[in-house]
Amino acid sequence: MRWRDPRAPLAAAGAIGALGFVVALLTGAPALAAGAVAGLVCALGAAFSLLVSARSLAAHPSAAPAARWLGSGAVVWSAGVAVRAVAAESGLAVSFSDLLVLIGTAMLANGAVMAARRGPAARAILHRLVDAYVATAAIFVVAWVAVLHPLQNPGFAFVLLAPMISLLVTCTVLPVVLTGRAGSWQLGLGGVGVLATTTIAEAAVGLARLTGGSPPAWTLLLAPVAFLLLGALPWTVLGDSAADEEREPVSPMIGHLLKTGPLILVVVATGALLLHLARWGGRPPASPVVVLAASVVLILAVRLVVLIMSNARMRRLVALGDRQLRELAESTGDVVLLCDYEGVVREIGVGVEVTYGYRPDEVTGRSIFDFIHPEDVPAIQASLRSMGLDAEDGDEPGACLIACRVRGSDGTWRPTESVATRHVGGEELLLVTTRDISEQEALRSQVAHLTFHDGVTGLPNRAYFSERAREVTGSRTAKAVIFLDLDGFTAVNDSVGHASGDYLLSQAARRLRGAVRRDDTLARWGGDEFAVLVETEAQSAVDLAERLVRAVSQEPFRVAERDIALTASVGVAFAEEGVSSGDLLRNADVAMARAKELGGRRVEVFAAHMHADVVRRLELAADLQRALLDNQFAIEYQPVVDLATSRVTAVEALVRWWRGSVFIPPDQFLGAAEATGLIVPLSEWILREACREVAAWRASSWDIGLSLNLSARQITAPHFVETVEQALAESGLPASALTLEVIEEMLVEDAEETISRLSELRSLGVRLAIDDFGTGYASLAFLRQLPVDMIKIDPSFVSGLGRDDTLTLLTRTIVRLGHDLGLIVVAEGIERPEQLELLREMGCTRGQGFLVARPMAARGVDSLMRTSLQSII
């Protein structure tokens, strides 16, 4: 057994105390003496445990001295009980024993308070004592009514003095411990428990002395058991290494109960006393009860007077603070008002007339929303409702910052900043302080304008342009930067001066502003250089650059009563993937320098291949125009077969261009046709020719359909629906035999117009299909917005069948989705037999690809009418 581990001695003390108590009772010893011996032994064991534990409670600074006080108090109290037992046996007086009991009680109380709090035991000790006295008196009155009134004798008050003092101490310490924040507050709670048990034991002894009997055995065991539990606390609850952390604040319910507990006890005692008087015919109670009742009434009356005086003083302070706040706010130019949570003004300061031009009586009684801009009203109403809900929930008052526009008496809207807080004057009102920040806003706007605009031309400056370029560089739209330099401007400054040169720059800025679109960003880059940021196609950017050159050189500038002719060198740079905004600006500057080196008055594109691409696109557009006139285009048809029966169910019309004997792949000219708008007449020619050809095949009793791809420009072209309807009427092809295919990207731009046009076609009976299904993010949205008949699986999925498990799973999912939606599923790009077998196994409806049949001219399709693809697939 180690000296520093008192758990074994503590257990031994408990065993010895219990054994001694039992032996004493069996040998005929008085119960009081047996209890005293057991209590003293257990108190010594608990004191030993607490004193030893004080050495190891370094993590609890407040617990170590508290443990010493608690242990010492337990021993002193038990010694007093033992002396009382000896004095009773020898007929000695009991005053010394009662003194020891009271001293022990005080030591226990001090230890409990020290364990539960850091610093002083109680900041409002007088308030605690008054509450404890009221509670003790009320408990005594209840006990007198219930038990004590038949036992009155000349020593009545003296005998119960010790338990009453112990009860007073317990009632004083209990709220202090319960509201304590120290980490060792459990030790303090254990001390309160010991005080409660000793109070009960003292009351039992006093009652026994009044009746001339012995206290119940269980009351004699309460204190020893409590001592043992107290001694075990440091080793079970606190532990050796627990940190001295503050515990959470006491719950509001317990705090409210501690405040109202004495009053509740007074009410209970009053009721008990009234019942007693009614039962005993109005017989007055004993003198001690009368004295206690009178003292409680006096204390409550004094507290009520103090509370009224304190409340009046607080009201005066609040009113004074409110008045000082208004005077301070109005001295700074702010407007102070009181309004309810609905916004109705109850009171407003005179500053409203100086700031906004309204007399106070014109505003009082009206809603603040009558003066606030309608766009700002919803947000302010929501803020006021939120503050009203917080007030109903009892939350702490908070401040709400409000920015809005307020209408002055002259009708102008003035920006304001307001702070709304809950008023503490008793009514449910808001105190609002409003400040007119028109001057600050004007200054802020002026500073922002000067920061990002050029003082000579009024255009955005380099900083603004660079920031704007960084913003749009990450977007998907095509964009270009144009740099323009005035050729010969240095000579202007040298000849007519810098002031005239600035005037010429302002004239040039006006001309350039008239040449660019409203959405373009025109800025003065510095010196005689200007920059333009455009979000458009390459050809449009080059066209704009040419317009800028003409705008500068078309007529002379009138400066200092003379005409000055200038030209411009322009460089164009196009944004590419991976090119930063800084690189884009640098590229445009380099291109402009190249234009200047070549003599000026010209446009240069930064990259040679980009310049060549623009030229090639222009040439290709001209060639496409001639090809339409010279009938250089032809149509090939790729069969679409039923995978279950190998029967050709439809053909997809594909355009081919033979420029003389040279075949031009579709991917080389369709983009240019789309960009130049030539795709519209080209698509109309394909539609008419294909409808005529398929109608002829159907006239030969061959049930075959036609599929055509649509372009975005074709769908949005004027009279597009009428063109389709006319082609069907001229060819005689049924609308149900025509399937028009769209790709998902068409839904990204002008989605509303596209869906509207396709819906009109659907109403004609034309079938709709989604081409390249699964490659974009708009597929499912398209299926929801427009009733389609067919989805075509993109070849990138089909190519991985049998080789890529992920693509195979995705393809199977698409097929299942199509079946669940009741759609025809067509697989594109079938090139290998294993792909065909997997698609059949998945239940894919139709397919096309080189394995099934390559695109062929109309003559090749004619031969299909007499043969079958069964041998192939």
Side-chain angles (χ1 to χ4, degrees), residues 620 624 633 655-659 662-671:
L620 187 59
L624 284 171
F633 292 101
V655 66
R656 298 291 185 261
W657 182 16
W658 292 90
R659 186 161 56 183
V662 179
F663 173 74
I664 309 299
D667 58 351
Q668 293 186 13
F669 69 88
L670 287 180

Side-chain angles (χ1 to χ4, degrees), residues 178-179 249-261 264:
L178 289 180
T179 57
V250 68
S251 66
M253 182 180 68
I254 295 178
H256 181 71
L257 186 60
L258 290 176
K259 293 178 180 178
T260 60
I264 294 174

Side-chain angles (χ1 to χ4, degrees), residues 340-342 380-398 400 420-422 428-430:
D340 57 24
Y341 291 104
E342 299 298 325
I380 299 176
Q381 288 177 332
S383 298
L384 295 186
R385 283 195 299 268
S386 177
M387 294 188 70
L389 292 175
D390 291 343
E392 292 177 1
D393 295 339
D395 294 343
E396 290 294 327
C400 177
T421 57
R422 299 221 299 267
E428 293 186 356
L429 298 177
L430 293 174

Side-chain angles (χ1 to χ4, degrees), residues 49-126:
S49 173
L50 291 169
L51 292 175
V52 173
S53 66
R55 304 177 183 177
S56 59
L57 292 177
H60 295 274
S62 60
R68 298 188 186 99
W69 277 98
L70 289 171
S72 302
V75 173
V76 172
W77 187 91
S78 300
V81 173
V83 170
R84 177 187 297 158
V86 174
E89 289 180 353
S90 59
L92 299 176
V94 296
S95 57
F96 179 69
S97 64
D98 288 339
L99 180 62
L100 289 178
V101 168
L102 292 177
I103 293 175
T105 301
M107 295 174 70
L108 288 170
N110 187 51
V113 172
M114 292 181 66
R117 280 184 176 269
R118 293 188 179 96
R123 296 180 181 178
I125 187 64
L126 181 60

Side-chain angles (χ1 to χ4, degrees), residues 43 109 343 445 497 516 519 651 700:
S445 300
V516 301
D519 296 336
V651 290
S700 302

